[in-house]
Amino acid sequence: MTEPASPIQSWDPDRYARNARFVADLGMPVVELLDPAPGERILDLGCGDGALTVKFVEMGCEVVGVDGSAEQIEAARALGLDARVADGQDLHFEAEFDAVFSNAALHWMRRDPDAVIRGVVRALKPGGRFVGEMGGSGNVGAIRAALEAALIRRDIDPAPLCPWYFPTPEDYKTRLEAAGLVVDRIELIPRPTPLPTRMADWLDTFGESYLSGVPEADRAAVKEEVSAALAPALRDAETGQWTADYVRLRFSARLPE
C-alpha cells in the first residue's frame, strides 16, 4: 500500500465563507457557555476568519485571536480584530487572559493536544476559564469511513492523512485535569449539520488532507465516489440537502484560584 505524506490542510477564507459559515453560526451556544463579561480579556484559540471572535468584541470584551492560517488571520484583521498567526500547540502567553475560548479548532491540533492544553493553562490568570467545542469521538464517522475506503481501494494508506483528533469525553477530561484544570462540564453532543453546498464542497474544505494523497487527476472521481456512497444516509432524496454527521465535544473547565 502506498505511503502518503503527512496531513495537509489549507484555509482559503473565500472558500471557507462559502462552504463553512455554519461553523461560526453554530458556535453561539459555546459563547453562551463561556458567558463573557464586559472588560474581560479573552483568547480565541483557532479564531479562523474572526466571524465568531467579533461577537466578543460586541459584548465589550478585549479579545486576541490566534490561528495557524495566515490567510484566515488576514481576514480576521480586516474585521478590525487583534488577530495573530500562532501555532496552538506552541502558545507563548503568560497569565494574561480571563478566559480561553475555542470553537471547532482543537481537533485540528492533533500533533500534541497536551501541549495545547498546557499553553492554555499558562495563558490563563488564576481562576480563568477554558471553554470550547471540538469534534468528538464519532465525529463525521460516515464521511471519514467513505473517504478512507475510497483511498484504500486505490492502494493508498489513509491513516497518515487523517488530520483530526476526535477524543472521547473521558480522554479529554483526563488531559484537562492532568494539566491542572478543574472540569465543570464535558459531554458529547450529536449534531447532524445541514450543509450549505454539496458534499464535494465539504470534502474540498475539510477533507483536503485525504485528497492530497490522491493524484490530482483522480480527485474529482474520488469526491464523486464518496458522495455516491454517502448519499443514501446523508442526502435528502427529495430536496438534495446534504447533512454532515457531526458529533461535538463541548466542555467548560477552569484554573483554580
Side-chain angles (χ1 to χ4, degrees):
M1 186 169 285
T2 304
E3 285 287 343
S6 298
I8 295 171
Q9 179 66 39
S10 62
W11 298 105
D12 175 80
D14 292 334
R15 181 180 70 179
Y16 192 83
R18 286 194 309 273
N19 301 329
R21 180 53 60 221
F22 63 88
V23 173
D25 293 344
L26 295 174
M28 284 308 295
V30 197
V31 175
E32 292 165 5
L33 180 61
L34 178 64
D35 192 21
E40 284 194 311
R41 183 167 169 81
I42 296 174
L43 176 65
D44 187 349
L45 176 55
C47 67
D49 62 5
L52 197 53
T53 320
V54 153
K55 303 294 184 184
F56 295 114
V57 176
E58 293 171 350
M59 294 174 180
C61 301
E62 181 184 348
V63 188
V64 175
V66 295
D67 199 279
S69 166
E71 293 80 9
Q72 291 281 64
I73 288 297
E74 184 178 351
R77 287 174 177 165
L79 298 177
L81 296 168
D82 179 353
R84 313 172 189 180
V85 178
D87 182 352
Q89 298 162 117
D90 188 27
L91 296 173
H92 294 284
F93 301 102
E94 296 287 342
E96 62 177 280
F97 293 99
D98 298 292
V100 176
F101 170 87
S102 188
N103 180 59
L106 294 168
H107 54 261
W108 294 101
M109 306 174 200
R110 69 185 293 268
R111 174 172 51 82
D112 195 343
D114 292 316
V116 175
I117 298 170
R118 290 194 299 269
V120 167
V121 169
R122 285 194 302 271
L124 287 172
K125 299 175 184 177
R129 292 112 64 210
F130 181 27
V131 174
E133 184 175 291
M134 63 194 292
S137 178
N139 190 55
V140 295
I143 297 173
R144 182 175 177 178
L147 257 174
E148 294 186 350
L151 267 62
I152 290 169
R153 281 192 288 272
R154 289 163 175 79
D155 200 35
I156 298 168
D157 181 5
L161 294 171
C162 178
W164 304 310
Y165 162 61
F166 295 146
T168 64
E170 296 77 16
D171 173 18
Y172 208 65
K173 183 174 187 283
T174 297
R175 294 176 187 273
L176 292 167
E177 291 177 339
L181 291 161
V182 176
V183 179
D184 294 315
R185 171 180 173 180
I186 187 164
E187 61 183 325
L188 277 182
I189 302 172
R191 195 195 69 198
T193 301
L195 301 180
T197 51
R198 305 170 303 155
M199 179 56 64
D201 298 313
W202 189 97
L203 295 171
D204 279 335
T205 305
F206 297 110
E208 181 179 6
S209 177
Y210 283 110
L211 295 174
S212 72
V214 179
E216 189 169 357
D218 297 337
R219 291 175 191 171
V222 167
K223 287 185 287 185
E224 289 179 10
E225 185 177 313
V226 171
S227 296
L230 292 171
L234 300 184
R235 182 176 180 271
D236 186 283
E238 293 185 6
T239 66
Q241 172 70 58
W242 282 98
T243 298
D245 55 328
Y246 277 29
V247 179
R248 314 315 280 172
L249 179 68
R250 187 179 297 169
F251 64 90
S252 176
R254 54 190 162 82
L255 191 63
E257 294 281 357

